[in-house]
Amino acid sequence: MLQAFARRAPSISVRARCLCTKPPTSPGPPEREYVQPSTEEKSALKILKDEFRPLFTGEAVGVEKAVPRRTDVLIIGGGLVGTAAAYFLKAHGEMFDVTIVERDYGYTRASTMLSCGGVRHQFTIPENVQMSMFTTEFLKHYKEHLTVLGQDPPHVDFHHQGYLFLAPENRAQLLLDCVKMQRAQGAKTVILSKAQLAEKYPWMNLDGIECASYGTEGEGWFDPWQLVHALKGKNIQLGVRYCQGEVVKFRYDSVPLYTSGGIAEKKRILGVDVDHPDGKRYGCDAAVIINSAGPWAGEVARMAGIGVDVFPELPVEPRKRYVYTVHCPDGPTLDCPFLIDTSGAYIRREGLGGNYICGASPSEEAEPSIANLDVDYEFYQEVVWPSIAHRVPAFNNSKLKCAWAGYYDYNTVDQNLIIGSHPEYRNFLFANGMSGHGVQQGLAIGRALFEYIYYSKYKTIDLSMFDFARFAERRPILEQAIV
Amino acid sequence: MLRSEREGFINEQRYIPAKALQRGPDLAAADMILNFNGRVKFNNDDVWYKTYEKGTSPLPQSFRPDLKLEAVDLADSNWMLTGMDHLHGCEHVVFVSLARCKYVTDWFIAQLVLHCPNLKYLDVSGCPEITDATMEMAYKFRHLQILNITDCQGIKQGEVFSVFLEDLLPELIIIGVDSLSKMELPLHEYEQQNSRFLNLGMSASIPEQIVGLRSETSEKSTVVNCKLNMSDSVELKVEPLKTESVC
């Protein structure tokens, strides 16, 4: 009844507009042709016309639309988290109809492709440790998981080197407690005393260091680009639909809510509108929408009204981080771990030709602007190089070769994962805010999302403490070991 | 390989801590290895133990504190990653042969590093899935004397790694590696081409003054040193070690 009235309403206003003497408004951006999603009504005549149009226009018969009119699970963002979620949804729960919407197939600004690809088990929260350990387990057997039609997936080149966290005297006790917790979770981390460090790493300057924690098994670095490609190949074989487009709008449905104060309106997310490069805007309805847009998750959430109509907002914003490639002819060779200095600077070896990759996180006041991905070389001069040259004296004789910048999807409240459904829009799921650990935790997050959708609860790793409601309840979970 | 077959092996090779507690880690590991057509040697004599033809096992059934597992021969077997858990607690193992095992990957060697740090002889010849990461990890065996990587198709930079390994472990002999003069490209060019991380950044836009500060570095990096060392080559006679004990 209501829908019939809504259909007639535009025609009344068109006639009214003809009678008005208002001057026409200036033309805005060119209107995109809108392709109706499945909830809008289509008359029988229109359906028949759509069926027979290919015959008259000469197109191939039965061409599926670029963006489907309806799908079960819509994943916004095709980075590691989104691809992993689609993989687990299709591999373990085959009945889902999964669509991934990614606006840039070249992944020029995607955090996954621009990250250093490190995996470590050394976190301060047990669930974070368990998530990284799952990533290691998956990579151990990833050939079996991701083989497509008997062909091996591309090598992820896992280097089993281990992370070395250095600690000064005032943080030594904290490090000991952390290692105890990590070992209880099953991670194989050990504490190295100053004497052991001097023996194992003679090229390191141990000024001010009391002890260090080292991951002996399962830690290292790999190439996340290859992993995403392997996952994508497997996804396509499993039947996941990839669509290129940008989500521009969310569509809602209102149901009346009978409260003691009267009849209120409860909004429900029906689906999204996606702008496709072919010039059309497609409406797509979905039962579940997963927000895995990485650094731009806050924007997507605002489009959905989170932060605009309902509060609180999603506190995720992009933060730019620089990574520098350095050449040092006398640097440590095979025994160079992924070194994390007390100042927060990190360095790891890349290949055997004397190249190293290093960087550091800037302090809160000195956050660089996120307008573009230009690199600030002054930051290397002032912050990164002094720390590294102090710790590894061989780097006094080094040369900066090149650098790149990428975005962290930074959770401004507590730098930890946000996962689960929104309290009001129950079919809108978050998978955001990993603040630099997305590559390590992406596979575990994908599996957790699959469990949340399929079983309505987390079965293997309990991530219910990372829900969105903790911001309203003022319950932040601080991770102290971020790099 | 059929997935069910592989899963069958993984299931059979599962580590059961109760068995290790009952018979001791050495005998429990030896039991599992013998089940999969392997051979083991202990520290008391020079005999390779194998399952008898009728299927019974020659090993003692109860815990023997004097018997320590020293050598493991798993050539041509279907050893899986779960099977490596059995070597937990067998620190006296000095000889491991995983030749021509089709499921062996670098993760096996990572487990070996964890469980058997006193390894002296490692043989991974003919394993198709072993890559350069194995060579990277080999330095962690401080007493390693012989590393056999003949016919490993996954190892692309074996020669270069051999040079670094021989620097770190002076007693090491690497079997199966040709001399470095066979490399067509210098090392830094090969890596520049093949590493995605080295190609991510734009090097053209580094301001001149920053480059100038570090200009003491000459362009002759370690690559040239590698090439110079290779005049006395690492060509070795390929001599498979027989059953003389290596300890």
Side-chain angles (χ1 to χ4, degrees):
Chain A
M1 191 57 190
L2 242 73
Q3 278 166 345
F5 182 77
R7 242 192 315 152
R8 257 185 260 134
S11 57
I12 297 175
S13 60
V14 159
R15 265 189 267 135
R17 260 189 278 155
C18 295
L19 296 172
C20 284
T21 51
K22 215 170 62 159
T25 49
S26 59
E31 275 291 314
R32 283 174 174 255
E33 178 199 335
Y34 189 65
V35 178
Q36 301 282 7
S38 59
T39 42
E40 306 287 338
E41 276 189 19
K42 251 186 170 181
S43 66
L45 187 62
K46 194 159 189 317
I47 292 174
L48 274 175
K49 271 209 270 182
D50 278 343
E51 282 284 319
F52 286 105
R53 183 176 302 128
L55 271 180
F56 299 122
T57 55
E59 292 164 10
V61 177
V63 167
E64 206 187 56
K65 294 237 180 322
V67 178
R69 297 172 74 226
R70 138 191 292 163
T71 180
D72 285 336
V73 180
L74 180 75
I75 300 180
I76 304 176
L80 182 59
V81 177
T83 321
Y87 166 74
F88 282 104
L89 277 167
K90 271 305 222 188
H92 296 284
E94 302 92 19
M95 67 225 274
F96 290 112
D97 185 44
V98 180
T99 306
I100 294 185
V101 174
E102 165 64 45
R103 67 179 168 189
D104 178 14
Y105 276 155
Y107 295 107
T108 46
R109 296 193 298 163
S111 306
T112 314
M113 311 310 178
L114 296 169
S115 80
C116 293
V119 178
R120 61 176 164 111
H121 302 325
Q122 297 175 51
F123 289 95
T124 49
I125 296 176
E127 280 79 11
N128 280 343
V129 177
Q130 288 168 13
M131 283 200 274
S132 295
M133 286 181 65
F134 174 70
T135 303
T136 311
E137 279 302 315
F138 190 89
L139 289 177
K140 275 186 194 176
H141 305 287
Y142 92 107
K143 272 215 157 95
E144 290 145 33
H145 295 308
L146 301 180
T147 306
V148 175
L149 296 175
Q151 277 194 332
D152 279 342
H155 280 281
V156 292
D157 289 335
F158 194 95
H159 296 257
H160 305 252
Q161 291 302 103
Y163 272 64
L164 187 73
F165 273 83
L166 300 174
E169 200 162 332
N170 52 0
R171 286 172 69 93
Q173 186 55 42
L174 173 69
L175 199 73
L176 282 167
D177 295 334
C178 287
V179 169
K180 208 159 109 179
M181 183 274 293
Q182 287 149 19
R183 290 188 77 90
Q185 301 295 322
K188 311 253 188 341
T189 27
V190 293
I191 288 268
L192 295 173
S193 67
K194 197 158 174 179
Q196 285 171 316
L197 279 174
E199 189 208 320
K200 274 183 97 141
Y201 307 112
W203 41 264
M204 209 189 311
N205 168 19
L206 297 172
D207 217 15
I209 301 294
E210 178 65 23
C211 60
S213 72
Y214 181 62
T216 50
E217 197 240 341
E219 296 194 348
W221 62 86
F222 69 103
D223 193 353
W225 169 269
Q226 305 281 39
L227 180 63
V228 171
H229 270 261
L231 279 169
K232 186 167 173 177
K234 187 72 181 172
N235 280 349
I236 291 175
Q237 190 221 2
L238 289 170
V240 173
R241 209 181 285 116
Y242 274 82
C243 305
Q244 189 175 9
E246 185 165 350
V247 171
V248 290
K249 204 164 79 117
F250 277 70
R251 274 174 302 103
Y252 303 94
D253 191 12
S254 316
V255 291
L257 187 68
Y258 300 102
T259 64
S260 52
I263 300 179
E265 240 188 30
K266 188 171 151 73
K267 274 187 8 177
R268 190 169 64 106
I269 294 183
L270 272 186
V272 299
D273 282 345
V274 177
D275 270 352
H276 197 266
D278 65 5
K280 297 197 195 149
R281 176 173 294 188
Y282 292 86
C284 178
D285 286 342
V288 175
I289 299 179
I290 299 182
N291 180 6
S292 63
W296 300 278
E299 257 178 55
V300 171
R302 271 192 290 282
M303 257 188 249
I306 298 168
V308 174
D309 304 325
V310 292
F311 292 94
E313 56 164 16
L314 181 70
V316 171
E317 58 179 40
R319 291 276 176 102
K320 191 155 82 162
R321 294 286 180 265
Y322 305 113
V323 183
Y324 303 96
T325 310
V326 171
H327 178 78
C328 173
D330 308 312
T333 54
L334 284 183
D335 53 350
C336 182
F338 202 129
L339 184 64
I340 317 266
D341 189 29
T342 44
S343 57
Y346 60 87
I347 181 154
R348 76 152 168 93
R349 181 175 55 80
E350 174 60 32
L352 288 172
N355 294 314
Y356 299 84
I357 286 181
C358 59
S361 285
S363 54
E364 276 290 335
E365 305 84 38
E367 283 287 347
S369 115
I370 52 170
N372 52 26
L373 281 177
D374 288 345
V375 180
D376 179 14
Y377 296 98
E378 292 299 316
F379 184 71
Y380 173 77
Q381 278 295 98
E382 274 147 39
V383 179
V384 181
W385 181 78
S387 314
I388 289 176
H390 174 69
R391 193 55 61 203
V392 184
F395 278 88
N396 280 308
N397 181 27
S398 66
K399 190 158 134 177
L400 175 66
K401 274 182 74 168
C402 52
W404 73 86
Y407 293 118
Y408 270 17
D409 49 343
Y410 197 76
N411 177 349
T412 47
V413 172
D414 54 12
Q415 290 90 54
N416 252 325
L417 170 66
I418 304 169
I419 193 170
S421 59
H422 189 267
E424 283 220 21
Y425 299 131
R426 309 282 324 178
N427 58 345
F428 185 83
L429 301 189
F430 297 105
N432 313 115
M434 282 80 75
S435 314
H437 309 133
V439 160
Q440 305 172 49
Q441 299 174 348
L443 289 165
I445 292 169
R447 184 177 63 162
L449 285 168
F450 152 69
E451 290 171 356
Y452 193 79
I453 294 174
Y454 196 71
Y455 300 111
S456 308
K457 62 176 177 162
Y458 302 109
K459 285 208 130 187
T460 42
I461 308 176
D462 187 10
L463 296 175
S464 40
M465 58 195 269
F466 293 115
D467 57 349
F468 183 77
R470 73 180 188 267
F471 302 119
E473 293 168 18
R474 308 286 171 106
R475 189 177 29 98
I477 303 168
L478 281 159
E479 165 68 54
Q480 279 150 9
I482 50 164
V483 175
Chain B
M1 312 305 133
L2 283 180
R3 195 161 121 181
S4 54
E5 194 182 74
R6 213 169 40 214
E7 281 173 9
F9 293 139
I10 293 173
N11 213 17
E12 286 165 39
Q13 285 169 25
R14 251 177 332 145
Y15 178 65
I16 300 172
K19 269 198 193 159
L21 272 178
Q22 185 199 13
R23 297 176 62 173
D26 305 90
L27 283 175
D31 194 33
M32 185 54 71
I33 292 165
L34 254 46
N35 280 346
F36 278 84
N37 295 330
R39 302 187 303 162
V40 291
K41 220 209 260 186
F42 293 96
N43 59 342
N44 53 348
D45 55 15
D46 260 349
V47 177
W48 280 104
Y49 289 97
K50 204 175 143 98
T51 321
Y52 290 131
E53 267 150 26
K54 41 185 195 218
T56 50
S57 154
L59 301 174
Q61 295 299 315
S62 57
F63 177 53
R64 292 272 299 273
D66 54 318
L67 280 185
K68 298 279 178 224
L69 191 64
E70 276 199 343
V72 169
D73 181 9
L74 279 164
D76 304 300
S77 69
N78 291 315
W79 202 239
M80 291 285 180
L81 194 54
T82 43
M84 298 304 273
D85 291 340
H86 293 276
L87 290 171
H88 176 65
C90 303
E91 293 133 357
H92 298 266
V93 170
V94 290
F95 175 117
V96 169
S97 168
L98 290 164
R100 297 173 296 281
C101 293
K102 42 189 189 255
Y103 300 116
V104 164
T105 60
D106 304 314
W107 295 94
F108 285 65
I109 314 298
Q111 294 275 5
L112 261 186
V113 166
L114 202 55
H115 298 314
C116 312
N118 300 322
L119 208 62
K120 288 191 186 156
Y121 178 109
L122 178 61
D123 183 357
V124 286
S125 54
C127 296
E129 314 255 332
I130 293 278
T131 66
D132 294 330
T134 298
M135 308 287 283
E136 263 187 350
M137 279 190 278
Y139 83 92
K140 294 190 187 174
F141 297 115
R142 306 305 313 181
H143 309 286
L144 193 65
Q145 287 170 5
I146 295 180
L147 175 65
N148 189 344
I149 47 169
T150 352
D151 278 343
C152 284
Q153 277 101 30
I155 293 188
K156 304 277 186 272
Q157 286 182 288
E159 295 83 14
V160 181
F161 276 101
S162 320
V163 174
F164 285 106
L165 280 175
E166 288 179 352
D167 271 343
L168 285 169
L169 305 167
E171 298 176 348
L172 179 62
I173 300 175
I174 302 180
I175 305 175
V177 173
D178 284 327
S179 64
L180 198 63
S181 48
K182 272 185 78 171
M183 272 179 69
E184 300 107 24
L185 285 176
L187 178 63
H188 61 273
E189 276 182 35
Y190 177 81
E191 297 207 326
Q192 192 72 32
Q193 281 178 10
N194 289 16
S195 164
R196 189 183 71 90
F197 290 107
L198 290 177
N199 287 320
L200 262 181
M202 314 301 162
S203 52
S205 50
I206 302 179
E208 273 309 310
Q209 56 268 33
I210 292 187
V211 170
L213 280 169
R214 304 276 102 71
S215 60
E216 290 95 19
T217 327
S218 62
E219 274 312 307
K220 287 198 291 184
S221 58
T222 28
V223 172
V224 178
N225 293 335
C226 286
K227 287 186 121 174
L228 283 174
N229 279 344
M230 278 305 101
S231 58
D232 34 300
S233 68
V234 284
E235 263 171 42
L236 303 151
K237 304 186 285 277
V238 178
E239 246 180 43
L241 263 192
K242 293 298 177 194
T243 56
E244 297 99 301
S245 64
V246 218
C247 13

